[in-house]
Amino acid sequence: MQWETVIGLEIHVQLLTRSKIFSGASVAYGARPNSQACAVDIALPGVLPVLNRQVVEYAIRFGLAINATINSPSIFARKNYFYPDLPKGYQISQLAHPIVEGGHVTIRTGDKEKTIHLTRAHLEEDAGKSTHEGFHDKTGIDLNRAGTGLLEIVSEPEMRSSAEAVAYARVLHSLVRWIGICDGNMQEGSFRCDANVSVRPAGSDVLGTRCEIKNLNSFRFLERAIDYEVARQIDILESGGSIVQQTRLYDADRDETRTMRSKEDAHDYRYFPDPDLLPVVIPQEWIKQIREKLPELPEDRHNRYIRDFSLSAYDANILTAARELADYFEQTVKFLPEQIKLCANWIIGEVSGRLNKEGLEIDQCPVSPEQLAGLLLRITDGTVSGKIAKDVFDSMWQSNDNSADTIIDAKNLRQISDNSEIEKWVNEVLAANQQQVADYRAGKEKAFNSLVGQVMKMSRGKANPVQVNTLLKKHLIE
């Protein structure tokens, strides 16, 4: 039997505020355990929550970015369940009246595009953290995270593979950073994914029983957890068994999911409106002001790069993965507007490769857009070859403040385009390699590449490669 995978994601985005959603306690990461939990966070008798206005603005900003409906009023509800790191015995969240409803994003896998619709995005407070390491037969509770403002983004179950799920998660990760509502730090828990996974017979429109995989904090783990869970469910069904609805955890060391608890439905949490919080009424004028301050969004910039810069969808996709990278690209192009594709190639290749190798973000790049454009100009005007330019780029990266021209002159790297000089090297190489000359004339193209390499070596990489090719072919056909 052929099976179809059905995936929906719930993504928890920690909002980039300085204080918590209902209290003034700090949300700074890495503080001493329980040092950032105030009376409201630990639910002492008599305290009342006060809604953080910035949290609401960030939710509106996200809703506008995905073309969703901003609900007014939206209502906070109490989600009742017991957990050791949930001091109140309930979580303040939203259910029937979320602040953001609907919306969509576009994902790309390979050369295919697909629209994924969102069910809602709602505001809620985070729970604390249970720590098991270092406690013999006990659990440590850290309430620093309790009350931190989250935006939970819930998709429709429209993804059909782990690749699509990862593409969707990456789009949201890029978007929330792009519009400045989350730092996207997955290691610190600022962006966490829960995957709802089920399978059904191919062609069926009836959803299978789903299992939820909790707290996936890397794209690689998200992909591997889904792949394992799909295989697990298919194996059970093909063996005559049935899927039990449950919450599961992914064990990265064993590359498997395992049961955490039975999966609850909404009615199990006994939601009801929080009597301590008024409905949130959002004036249209405020929404208008937030809309006017939105930057050009990644999808719009992606389409503009294809339309105005004639870039491929692949190049545009990479360059718009982060706002800072797209800005770096456009600043480079301003200095070299006639060489857009060359700028894109170098930023996608040399610049991004070096940043990845050293674990740096684009805003930490030691080579500025103006400096990079200066180097690329020397390629286009024939001052240096592409190969030598990579050596110059390496020196620019290390020196931090040297221009391409300074390094080229200091190291005497200017490309040699004197025909008589290059012809002398060509003649020497041909005279010393009669067998390769005969091989090329016998139809062996690899022999030509070898001859080119030897001329370039003789010139210490400084000969103009176009002229080397032209002169070699001229002599070889004589």
Side-chain angles (χ1 to χ4, degrees), residues 375 378-386 388-389 392 408 413-415:
L375 171 60
R378 293 298 166 249
I379 298 175
T380 60
D381 68 12
T383 299
V384 295
S385 66
I388 292 295
V392 176
I408 289 168
L413 296 174
R414 290 184 180 272
Q415 186 167 260

Side-chain angles (χ1 to χ4, degrees), residues 74-371:
S74 68
I75 297 173
F76 283 100
R78 292 186 179 182
K79 180 181 180 181
N80 298 275
Y81 64 98
F82 171 77
Y83 220 64
D85 51 24
L86 191 69
K88 293 192 290 287
Y90 63 85
Q91 178 189 32
I92 302 176
S93 184
Q94 295 183 314
L95 181 66
H97 303 279
I99 189 167
V100 174
E101 192 165 3
H104 63 271
V105 296
T106 301
I107 66 169
R108 296 175 180 87
T109 52
D111 58 354
K112 296 180 180 177
E113 284 192 0
K114 182 175 182 177
T115 298
I116 303 297
H117 296 88
L118 280 70
T119 309
R120 66 182 186 275
H122 61 264
L123 290 169
E124 65 183 21
E125 61 181 344
D126 205 350
K129 180 181 179 182
S130 297
T131 303
H132 308 287
E133 294 80 11
F135 296 91
H136 181 65
D137 293 332
K138 294 181 177 66
T139 297
I141 302 296
D142 180 6
L143 297 178
N144 280 349
R145 201 171 67 186
T148 297
L150 300 178
L151 184 67
E152 181 174 344
I153 304 165
V154 183
S155 81
E156 291 292 309
E158 296 178 342
M159 288 155 274
R160 297 293 177 262
S161 68
S162 60
E164 288 188 356
V166 170
Y168 168 79
R170 285 188 182 277
V171 166
L172 286 189
H173 185 259
S174 172
L175 180 60
V176 296
R177 294 179 63 203
W178 191 288
I179 61 177
I181 68 171
C182 175
D183 64 16
N185 192 319
M186 299 181 80
Q187 287 70 40
E188 294 180 3
S190 299
F191 188 92
R192 311 191 298 269
C193 303
D194 299 343
N196 289 289
V197 181
S198 65
V199 297
R200 64 186 178 188
S204 172
D205 57 1
V206 178
L207 292 174
T209 302
R210 65 190 170 95
C211 291
E212 182 181 29
I213 313 168
K214 295 287 288 184
N215 294 330
L216 297 161
N217 66 350
S218 83
F219 299 122
R220 184 166 61 93
F221 290 169
L222 174 63
E223 182 174 33
R224 290 168 60 181
I226 290 172
D227 286 341
Y228 177 88
E229 183 60 21
V230 168
R232 185 188 74 87
Q233 292 187 22
I234 291 174
D235 184 59
I236 290 172
L237 293 172
E238 290 186 342
S239 300
S242 58
I243 305 301
V244 176
Q245 182 171 311
Q246 58 187 202
T247 300
R248 301 178 69 84
L249 289 175
Y250 175 67
D251 186 328
D253 294 330
R254 296 185 177 183
D255 191 24
E256 64 181 21
T257 64
R258 64 172 187 267
T259 302
M260 180 182 178
R261 61 176 180 264
S262 61
K263 174 66 180 169
E264 299 88 352
D265 288 310
H267 63 264
D268 294 317
Y269 292 113
R270 305 184 313 284
Y271 282 91
F272 63 87
D274 193 308
D276 292 335
L277 289 162
L278 292 171
V280 181
V281 177
I282 303 169
Q284 288 301 310
E285 182 61 28
W286 190 25
I287 296 175
K288 180 182 176 183
Q289 291 170 2
I290 296 171
R291 187 190 300 276
E292 289 172 350
K293 293 178 182 177
L294 278 177
E296 182 183 24
L297 296 172
E299 185 66 17
D300 296 330
R301 199 178 284 201
H302 175 277
N303 293 335
R304 177 165 64 83
Y305 286 178
I306 295 173
R307 183 186 66 247
D308 297 349
F309 292 166
S310 299
L311 293 179
S312 68
Y314 174 82
D315 287 353
N317 209 35
I318 294 176
L319 291 169
T320 56
R323 184 177 173 182
E324 297 81 4
L325 182 64
D327 289 345
Y328 184 99
F329 166 65
E330 294 209 29
Q331 290 164 21
T332 306
V333 167
K334 283 182 180 179
F335 293 107
L336 205 62
E338 302 303 317
Q339 296 293 334
I340 293 172
K341 178 59 175 170
L342 181 64
C343 294
N345 288 346
W346 267 74
I347 291 170
I348 291 170
E350 295 301 315
V351 175
S352 295
R354 191 63 177 263
L355 291 170
N356 290 337
K357 181 181 178 182
E358 301 195 11
L360 300 176
E361 298 294 332
I362 187 66
D363 55 6
Q364 299 171 298
C365 181
V367 178
S368 70
E370 183 175 6
Q371 289 173 324

Side-chain angles (χ1 to χ4, degrees), residues 36-84:
Q36 294 179 172
C38 70
V40 174
D41 306 327
I42 62 176
L44 292 183
V47 298
L48 289 172
V50 177
L51 180 59
N52 185 331
R53 178 185 173 90
Q54 187 71 66
V55 162
V56 178
E57 179 173 332
Y58 283 166
I60 296 170
R61 195 183 297 182
F62 176 77
L64 295 175
I66 62 167
N67 293 307
T69 298
I70 308 300
N71 284 330
S72 179
S74 68
I75 297 173
F76 283 100
R78 292 186 179 182
K79 180 181 180 181
N80 298 275
Y81 64 98
F82 171 77
Y83 220 64

